[in-house]
């Protein structure tokens, strides 16, 4: 039972982080498209940076390194993207301690009850 709960929690956290990264990257793309705040790659040419796929991959990359508080310095936000990056970095800073409180200090046993209930139903049906 503990292994299923662990895998469920791990998958949930992965989906949560993926959702945050993709949501912020769409916001960065929106700001770039309307010229309110591009994400500039210091090591790519101007023509390369204007390609659609590069804009998408650069936004996802920047979002991920900002959320994880890595910040290599090869990509820089400009304009309104700076404010969005601050919010994302703050979220990336607050989220790990919040998850520790949720899953370690005050764990919910509702998932275990649900899984126990479903396994009881399966055993009764056999």
């Amino acid at each position: 039972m503990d292994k299923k709960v662990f895998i469920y929690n791990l998958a949930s956290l992965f989906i949560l982080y993926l959702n945050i990264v993709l949501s912020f990257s769409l916001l960065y793309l929106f700001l770039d498209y309307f010229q309110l705040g591009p994400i500039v790659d210091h090591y790519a040419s101007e023509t390369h940076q204007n390609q659609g796929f590069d804009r998408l991959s650069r936004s996802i990359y920047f979002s991920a390194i900002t959320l994880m508080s890595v910040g290599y310095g090869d990509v820089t936000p400009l304009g309104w993207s700076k404010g969005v990056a601050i919010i994302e970095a703050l979220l990336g800073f607050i989220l790990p301690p919040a998850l520790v409180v949720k899953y370690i200090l005050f764990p919910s046993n509702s998932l275990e009850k649900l899984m126990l209930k479903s396994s009881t139903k399966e055993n009764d049906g056999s």
Side-chain angles (χ1 to χ4, degrees):
M1 195 62 71
D2 290 333
K3 187 176 181 181
K4 287 182 180 180
V5 172
F6 174 76
I7 291 172
Y8 176 83
N9 287 340
L10 192 64
S12 297
L13 290 175
F14 178 77
I15 291 169
L16 173 67
Y17 271 89
L18 185 64
N19 187 15
I20 293 170
V21 166
L22 293 177
S23 297
F24 273 95
S25 66
L26 288 175
L27 188 54
Y28 293 128
L29 276 174
F30 174 82
L31 292 171
D32 188 23
Y33 181 77
F34 289 106
Q35 299 177 351
L36 297 171
I39 304 295
V40 178
D41 186 349
H42 299 289
Y43 299 104
S45 67
E46 187 69 32
T47 55
H48 188 328
Q49 290 191 51
N50 289 328
Q51 296 175 357
F53 182 74
D54 186 62
R55 286 181 181 196
L56 175 65
S57 63
R58 187 172 57 243
S59 295
I60 293 171
Y61 169 76
F62 179 73
S63 180
I65 64 171
T66 301
L67 182 66
M68 304 301 172
S69 301
V70 176
Y72 293 122
D74 58 340
V75 181
T76 305
L78 299 176
W80 285 95
S81 292
K82 287 181 180 182
V84 173
I86 290 170
I87 294 168
E88 186 178 13
L90 182 62
L91 184 62
F93 185 72
I94 292 173
L95 195 56
L99 294 172
V100 166
V101 167
K102 164 89 171 101
Y103 290 109
I104 305 297
L105 298 179
F106 302 109
S108 171
N109 60 359
S110 59
L111 178 63
E112 290 180 33
K113 287 180 185 177
L114 178 67
M115 294 180 80
L116 182 62
K117 190 183 218 182
S118 71
S119 68
T120 305
K121 284 182 183 179
E122 288 175 5
N123 290 338
D124 291 343
S126 319

